[in-house]
């Protein structure tokens, strides 16, 4: 039996896939294909390189972001959870974490985003679910033009 929550999750996934279908980009199409092959419990990995994920973010601009997470709940020592939010605001890359919000914009953000993508599994997510307050260009270390 499908619950209302599962139905809503399937609907959101279908809407996100439809949004990505509007883009004329091979990289975005690869991500869309992975999302269409995903289940509500597991988002299939699009197997993109770091550069391709950056291209994806630039292409989708304010329509999507990437999410990554690292946890340690082993019971040995202090439990921890780190969440990363990686996006492109149409002008520059923006990097943030769940604990501190948006931290970097521009070149510094791009370097941080590359490190996260290289070391963690990222999940493409519709921007409507972005949990951080947008700093609207006011994040630290913005590159001077």
């Amino acid at each position: 039996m499908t619950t209302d929550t599962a139905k809503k999750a399937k609907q959101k996934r279908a809407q996100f896939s439809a949004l990505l279908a509007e883009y004329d980009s091979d990289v975005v199409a690869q991500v869309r294909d992975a999302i269409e092959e995903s289940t509500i419990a597991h988002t299939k990995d699009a197997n993109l390189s770091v550069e391709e994920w950056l291209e994806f973010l630039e292409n989708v601009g304010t329509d999507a972001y990437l999410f990554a997470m690292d946890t340690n709940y082993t019971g040995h020592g202090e439990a921890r959870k780190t969440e990363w939010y990686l996006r492109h605001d149409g002008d520059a890359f923006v990097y943030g974490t769940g604990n501190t919000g948006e931290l970097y914009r521009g070149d510094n953000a791009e370097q941080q985003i590359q490190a996260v993508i290289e070391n963690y599994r990222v999940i493409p997510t519709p921007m409507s679910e972005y949990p951080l307050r947008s700093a609207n260009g006011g994040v630290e270390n913005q590159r001077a033009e």
Side-chain angles (χ1 to χ4, degrees):
M1 179 175 184
T2 305
T3 66
D4 287 340
T5 302
K7 286 179 186 177
K8 287 178 184 176
K10 286 180 184 179
Q11 182 181 23
K12 283 182 181 180
R13 189 180 72 221
Q15 289 171 337
F16 188 41
S17 179
L19 173 69
L20 295 179
E22 296 175 11
Y23 287 90
D24 184 21
S25 163
D26 291 340
V27 171
V28 176
Q30 280 184 259
V31 173
R32 185 191 72 243
D33 290 346
I35 289 170
E36 288 177 350
E37 295 173 11
S38 298
T39 66
I40 60 172
H42 178 74
T43 302
K44 188 174 186 248
D45 192 343
N47 292 318
L48 301 180
S49 69
V50 173
E51 292 77 21
E52 290 170 321
W53 277 119
L54 292 174
E55 181 182 337
F56 169 80
L57 287 175
E58 285 182 298
N59 279 309
V60 298
T62 58
D63 285 334
Y65 68 96
L66 298 178
F67 171 78
M69 182 171 60
D70 183 40
T71 60
N72 178 8
Y73 297 118
T74 62
H76 303 289
E78 198 170 318
R80 67 170 168 72
K81 176 170 86 170
T82 305
E83 298 171 330
W84 293 277
Y85 298 91
L86 319 170
R87 68 185 185 95
H88 195 281
D89 66 7
D91 292 320
F93 289 101
V94 178
Y95 166 88
T97 69
N99 292 334
T100 57
E102 293 186 341
L103 293 170
Y104 302 106
R105 183 175 190 275
D107 290 342
N108 289 332
E110 186 174 352
Q111 291 173 350
Q112 296 295 327
I113 289 170
Q114 288 173 338
V116 171
I117 292 170
E118 190 170 308
N119 292 294
Y120 298 94
R121 182 174 180 269
V122 294
I123 300 170
T125 309
M127 198 59 167
S128 60
E129 297 178 19
Y130 191 70
L132 304 181
R133 183 181 66 76
S134 175
N136 294 323
V139 292
E140 295 178 26
N141 298 316
Q142 184 172 352
R143 188 180 87 199
E145 298 296 329

